[in-house]
Amino acid sequence: MELLAELRKHILNSPLKIKADNLLTFANDGQITSHQGDLNAHFSIRYDAKIIVTDYTDHADMLFFIVLQWLAANNANHETTPIRFNADIIDHKTADVELILTLEENVGANLVEGGMQLVHNGVKPIDICPLSATNWELYIHPDPDPVASWVEAGE
């Protein structure tokens, strides 16, 4: 479940400033599909990734954007509506947000000297700042004030 671990890392490194203690991740309803043939031991892992952000205080659109950005680059088989969600509204500023999305990982089983090597499909790094910008702001129309800003480290 390398994709789920990488998605978790992507969320923690995002401008959302979510703390690790507030980010819970689970893999549910997993399924393994064998692609074995005469000389093939490859397989796929497909599961529902459940991501829970507790005590979330930012706009939900920001969390959705960060996850969709990563998903488009790293889960090519995703559906056009890949994320389901639930929210527990704690007060007018805070919520617990649960995202559920299906992830699929292809695992190659390659014969090497002395045994087999299992290789997961690679995770593509995502540039959170569009167009390699070092500073950017996120607006949610029609509000003229930014809901988030990002300044690259060292700026």
Side-chain angles (χ1 to χ4, degrees):
M1 288 148 288
E2 290 183 10
L3 284 179
L4 182 54
E6 290 297 325
L7 176 54
R8 178 182 171 79
K9 186 165 66 173
H10 177 72
I11 293 169
L12 290 173
N13 291 333
S14 77
L16 299 176
K17 297 182 179 96
I18 294 171
K19 294 182 175 123
D21 290 346
N22 294 87
L23 182 60
L24 309 171
T25 52
F26 305 91
N28 295 323
D29 299 320
Q31 182 173 41
I32 299 169
T33 304
S34 173
H35 301 290
Q36 294 183 0
D38 291 339
L39 301 173
N40 183 351
H42 305 318
F43 59 97
S44 297
I45 303 169
R46 186 177 174 96
Y47 54 93
D48 286 338
K50 184 185 291 188
I51 299 155
I52 301 172
V53 181
T54 61
D55 298 326
Y56 185 68
T57 57
D58 286 323
H59 200 288
D61 287 355
M62 294 167 45
L63 177 60
F64 300 158
F65 174 78
I66 294 295
V67 172
L68 282 168
Q69 181 187 35
W70 181 90
L71 187 61
N74 288 291
N75 205 50
N77 297 332
H78 77 275
E79 303 142 15
T80 55
T81 55
I83 300 176
R84 301 177 310 276
F85 74 93
N86 298 298
D88 179 13
I89 309 303
I90 297 170
D91 59 36
H92 68 286
K93 290 185 177 180
T94 310
D96 291 344
V97 180
E98 173 188 53
L99 303 176
I100 303 153
L101 54 141
T102 301
L103 295 179
E104 184 172 347
E105 301 179 35
N106 295 315
V107 182
N110 303 315
L111 187 60
V112 295
E113 186 176 328
M116 294 293 282
Q117 178 185 42
L118 300 178
V119 180
H120 280 251
N121 52 322
V123 175
K124 298 175 187 156
I126 302 295
D127 186 4
I128 294 173
C129 296
L131 304 175
S132 300
T134 56
N135 303 301
W136 64 272
E137 296 177 319
L138 177 65
Y139 296 86
I140 298 176
H141 184 74
D143 189 350
D145 297 321
V147 295
S149 61
W150 172 265
V151 177
E152 189 173 305
E155 287 291 306

